[in-house]
């Protein structure tokens, strides 16, 4: 059975801590973009590795990196390879994104 998480807009930080959405290199997910397929530029998804102390990274941490950017003709479902430990919607996401874990 797949593990599904809905990532709300606004950059809410979500920990990927349950297989198959267990963050870590080698884990993959499918991002169902919904209305975000209309976003032609900008950051849609960001990731962050777990801090060494096991805490949740802050919203202003410099460790956030782009996982998915908007592009013209972006498919409604996009594979995300190598899921990070934490994920959030980017500033340019206009609708929630559903992330489904695959193995």
């Amino acid at each position: 059975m797949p593990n599904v998480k809905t990532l709300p807009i606004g950059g809410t930080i979500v920990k990927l801590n349950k297989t198959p959405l267990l963050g870590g290199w080698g884990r993959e997910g499918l991002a169902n973009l919904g209305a975000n397929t209309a976003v032609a530029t900008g950051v849609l998804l960001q990731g962050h590795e777990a801090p060494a102390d096991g805490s949740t990274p802050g919203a202003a941490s410099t460790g956030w990196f782009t996982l998915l950017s908007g592009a013209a003709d972006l498919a409604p479902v996009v594979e995300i390879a190598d899921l990070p430990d934490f994920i959030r919607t980017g500033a340019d996401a206009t609708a929630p994104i559903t992330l489904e874990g695959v193995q």
Side-chain angles (χ1 to χ4, degrees), residues 1-5 19-21 28-30 83 99-103:
M1 174 180 267
N3 185 14
V4 177
K5 291 195 185 262
T19 300
L21 280 178
E28 297 178 353
L30 297 175
L83 290 169
L99 188 64
E100 179 181 337
V102 295
Q103 283 185 298

Side-chain angles (χ1 to χ4, degrees), residues 7 16 20-22 24-33 44-47 65-69 74 77-84 86-88 97-103:
L7 309 171
L16 300 180
L21 280 178
L22 181 65
W25 303 116
R27 302 289 186 185
E28 297 178 353
L30 297 175
N32 296 285
L33 301 180
L44 295 177
L45 279 177
Q46 291 183 307
F65 56 91
T66 300
L67 281 173
L68 181 62
S69 295
L74 192 61
V77 178
V78 177
E79 182 180 351
I80 305 292
D82 297 328
L83 290 169
F86 293 89
I87 197 167
R88 69 180 181 183
I97 295 172
T98 302
L99 188 64
E100 179 181 337
V102 295
Q103 283 185 298

Side-chain angles (χ1 to χ4, degrees), residues 13 46-49 51 56-65 88:
I13 299 168
Q46 291 183 307
H48 198 295
E49 297 309 315
T56 298
S61 170
T62 59
W64 288 102
F65 56 91
R88 69 180 181 183

